[in-house]
Amino acid sequence: MSDTLKKQTPSQTIGPYFAYGLTPQQYGYAYDSLADNDMTKGLTNITPITITGAVYDGNGNPIDDAMVELWQDDGEHKLFGRYGTGTDEGNTFTFTTVKPKSVNGEAPYINVILFMRGQLLHSYTRIYFSDEAELNQSDALLQSIDKERRQTLIAEKNGEGYTFNMYMQGTQETVFFEI
């Protein structure tokens, strides 16, 4: 197939459809989102946590049009959330969720998929938790990452919530996984 006949697909560009189609309420459209940043809707007898952060470019500036998805499954809760960084002051994201439990001796974690301009493919990473030091020390995937870079996957405890920033480049560049 010649290059002139190739068409772009949704995974090849960020496009204006993300705000309109994937995060409409957040951007002021008058219909419901299929998912938002409150992953605890409908859950009872839980202790919710918040995860707050930002996505930074190589110059340390917050990116104002990234879309962050969180996916978690600890055997008890299968949760999904989605939020864009363009509507909050400081271009941050905040999710309300439940801290996952350890499964098969692994450290608790949440999968992250990051969509943003300039990427032809999504970026995949994980959020681990700073208050799970013992399980983090024995988690095979986390331990397979260079010691100097592991901290880029660990959310810092901050009161009842956690802070997790993602850096696309630079000395604090977040570890992203090839899937």
Side-chain angles (χ1 to χ4, degrees):
M1 177 184 289
S2 76
D3 286 337
T4 57
L5 295 177
K6 291 182 182 177
K7 303 279 186 201
Q8 286 187 330
T9 64
S11 65
Q12 291 176 307
T13 182
I14 197 75
Y17 55 84
F18 274 147
Y20 182 78
L22 298 177
T23 55
Q25 287 175 303
Q26 182 184 346
Y27 288 89
Y29 295 101
Y31 57 92
D32 292 344
S33 301
L34 295 177
D36 62 21
N37 62 331
D38 185 354
M39 299 163 63
T40 63
K41 290 180 182 168
L43 299 179
T44 58
N45 300 321
I46 60 164
T47 303
I49 63 167
T50 59
I51 298 173
T52 302
V55 181
Y56 293 96
D57 67 17
N59 294 319
N61 298 313
I63 294 172
D64 65 0
D65 60 356
M67 187 178 72
V68 180
E69 288 186 353
L70 300 187
W71 295 76
Q72 67 187 84
D73 180 358
D74 65 3
E76 182 179 350
H77 300 107
K78 293 181 181 184
L79 304 175
F80 168 68
R82 178 186 293 138
Y83 201 72
T85 61
T87 59
D88 289 295
E89 185 146 345
N91 300 311
T92 61
F93 58 84
T94 300
F95 287 90
T96 302
T97 189
V98 177
K99 186 176 175 189
K101 298 176 181 168
S102 173
V103 176
N104 298 325
E106 293 181 336
Y109 66 87
I110 298 174
N111 290 308
V112 179
I113 305 175
L114 177 63
F115 305 80
M116 57 180 265
R117 65 181 143 85
Q119 289 190 315
L120 297 181
L121 298 173
H122 326 311
S123 295
Y124 299 87
T125 192
R126 281 186 174 180
I127 299 172
Y128 289 89
F129 300 90
S130 63
D131 55 350
E132 295 289 350
E134 187 175 323
L135 285 169
N136 289 346
Q137 287 292 331
S138 63
D139 187 271
L141 180 66
L142 191 56
Q143 293 305 307
S144 73
I145 297 166
D146 291 337
K147 186 176 183 179
E148 304 79 42
R149 301 213 44 225
R150 273 183 222 145
Q151 82 284 353
T152 69
L153 300 180
I154 299 174
E156 290 299 320
K157 183 92 167 117
N158 183 1
E160 295 301 313
Y162 296 85
T163 301
F164 183 75
N165 293 312
M166 290 178 273
Y167 295 85
M168 301 310 298
Q169 296 176 327
T171 58
Q172 298 180 73
E173 181 179 346
T174 300
V175 172
F176 293 100
F177 301 104
E178 190 173 313
I179 294 183

